[in-house]
Amino acid sequence: MVKRCLVYPVRCIISGYMILDGFDLGVGILHPFIAKTDEERRIDLNSIGPIWDGNEVWLILGGGALFAAFPFSVCLALFSGAYTAMMLVLLAFILRTVAIEFRSKREAYLADSVGLGVLHRLVPHRPAAWRRLRQCHAGLPIDENGNMWATLFDMLTPFTLLLGVTTVFMVATHGAMFLIMKTEGEQQDRLRRLAPILMIIFFVLNTIIVLMIAFTHEDILSNYLTRIWPIIFPAGALAAVLVSYYFLRQEKYFPAFIASGAMIALLIFAAAAGMYPNLLFSTIDPAYNLTIFNSASAPNTLVVMLVIALIGMPFVLLYTAGVYYFFRGKVQLDPTSY
């Protein structure tokens, strides 16, 4: 019971990271295309300047919670086989920090933001071979000891690359929603024209991914057909996309941004509901799948983690809400700005 309960706080933390740092990445992706002057570039960077590093705290929380709750899957599987990909993610984070601080290097800012979007989707997926579409998202080559045998190039498959491109458009859409709230004038007009296009492209790409999974992955499809109730997550994500698009057209930008964030969270929960109780699929033998039951920490550890999560999360949320409240409104440049 504790193992099941702990999955939800971990997923909430990961969702919080993707929502908060997602628009940071989106700003980085859009930065070279919608900022035409030095002042506009400064506005873009200062829109996330006070908050971007705080947003990454959620990644540390999520990674720490995942490692502590399910060390078998994180330590043995991912770090044994996806070490190179994870080091590339870390390098991209470092270079993005440098690109933001040295704001004239906006091409580096774009490259790191796109790279992080793709790498976030590259790490957890791996096919058994290139030959069949079915294997493009079958899982990871995990053996009976929980070791994963794969290289970085093994992970570069049509499906993982499609996931990466879809993630890029997802965070770009989310970033556009955020920038619309923080900008004025011609730049805001450009963003208002661009955001619906990005949203439509993301919707089409995500629909393709859903259809690919539905037709080629019986385990995930079976989870939805047998339990029924998890359908609320993809259905909610679809509703959130439509609501976000509606509010954007109505020029109600804050509700559009909130709906965009809700869409990201619901998509993450939809993926988790489809995989449940699995954390990682094995392409060698389904018996070697890593689940919340066979890869979790000791029960006492999980109980302590759950109590800490219930006590600590309200403070994290309060701090995050306070930061966003203090830095609300349109960006105003001053001598201390980037």
Side-chain angles (χ1 to χ4, degrees):
M1 182 64 180
V2 177
K3 297 176 183 178
R4 294 180 180 178
C5 292
L6 198 59
V7 170
Y8 297 105
V10 171
R11 282 291 174 179
C12 287
I13 294 172
I14 295 173
S15 299
Y17 165 72
M18 286 303 300
I19 293 171
L20 298 178
D21 202 37
F23 68 74
D24 292 342
L25 297 175
V27 171
I29 293 168
L30 298 174
H31 185 58
F33 305 108
I34 47 86
K36 302 300 183 182
T37 66
D38 182 68
E39 181 178 356
E40 289 181 348
R41 288 191 287 271
R42 293 181 66 200
I43 288 173
D44 290 352
L45 287 175
N46 282 278
S47 68
I48 64 170
I51 55 179
W52 71 269
D53 48 354
N55 291 341
E56 290 188 354
V57 170
W58 286 77
L59 179 62
I60 299 172
L61 289 174
L66 192 63
F67 178 81
F70 307 105
F72 192 72
S73 61
V74 175
C75 185
L76 288 183
L78 288 182
F79 277 101
S80 64
Y83 190 81
T84 303
M86 288 191 166
M87 290 302 101
L88 287 176
V89 171
L90 180 60
L91 178 62
F93 274 118
I94 295 171
L95 292 179
R96 186 178 66 146
T97 302
V98 174
I100 291 175
E101 295 301 325
F102 294 91
R103 67 179 186 85
S104 61
K105 304 300 182 183
R106 58 186 181 277
E107 292 81 5
Y109 188 24
L110 165 67
D112 289 319
S113 297
V114 172
L116 281 170
V118 173
L119 286 168
H120 278 323
R121 290 302 186 181
L122 177 64
V123 171
H125 297 272
R126 191 275 183 191
W130 283 74
R131 285 176 260 175
R132 291 187 295 154
L133 173 64
R134 172 185 175 79
Q135 292 175 309
C136 285
H137 48 283
L140 302 161
I142 301 170
D143 63 20
E144 67 275 14
N145 297 317
N147 296 311
M148 186 177 79
W149 305 98
T151 67
L152 178 63
F153 292 104
D154 291 328
M155 298 179 187
L156 293 173
T157 71
F159 183 74
T160 56
L161 291 175
L162 177 61
L163 275 175
V165 172
T166 304
T167 303
V168 167
F169 278 98
M170 179 182 74
V171 297
T173 302
H174 195 46
M177 298 292 184
F178 178 76
L179 278 177
I180 289 174
M181 297 190 300
K182 307 297 285 187
T183 57
E184 298 176 298
E186 294 182 2
Q187 187 176 20
Q188 188 187 55
D189 292 337
R190 289 193 292 271
L191 285 162
R192 288 190 300 189
R193 293 192 297 269
L194 180 62
I197 299 173
L198 294 172
M199 188 178 295
I200 292 171
I201 295 173
F202 164 69
F203 179 81
V204 171
L205 292 174
N206 195 67
T207 301
I208 293 172
I209 289 174
V210 171
L211 292 175
M212 289 172 65
I213 293 175
F215 284 110
T216 61
H217 208 305
E218 289 88 351
D219 290 341
I220 293 178
L221 182 61
S222 176
N223 254 345
Y224 279 101
L225 294 179
T226 57
R227 295 193 292 158
I228 303 299
W229 69 265
I231 198 68
I232 62 175
F233 296 122
L238 175 60
V241 172
L242 298 177
V243 168
S244 182
Y245 186 85
Y246 170 78
F247 281 128
L248 180 64
R249 287 302 190 185
Q250 297 297 313
E251 299 185 359
K252 297 178 180 179
Y253 304 125
F254 181 70
F257 175 73
I258 295 299
S260 176
M263 172 203 68
I264 294 174
L266 287 166
L267 285 175
I268 292 174
F269 273 88
M275 293 180 65
Y276 180 87
N278 299 288
L279 295 172
L280 295 172
F281 291 111
S282 172
T283 57
I284 298 176
D285 188 330
Y288 302 155
N289 289 355
L290 296 181
T291 71
I292 63 172
F293 302 110
N294 65 15
S295 62
S297 296
N300 289 342
T301 302
L302 297 178
V303 170
V304 171
M305 281 193 62
L306 182 60
V307 172
I308 292 176
L310 294 175
I311 295 175
M313 280 302 296
F315 292 99
V316 175
L317 293 172
L318 183 63
Y319 164 78
T320 302
V323 170
Y324 280 84
Y325 177 78
F326 288 123
F327 292 101
R328 68 191 183 279
K330 303 293 183 180
V331 175
Q332 301 294 328
L333 298 178
D334 58 47
T336 63
S337 301
Y338 284 106

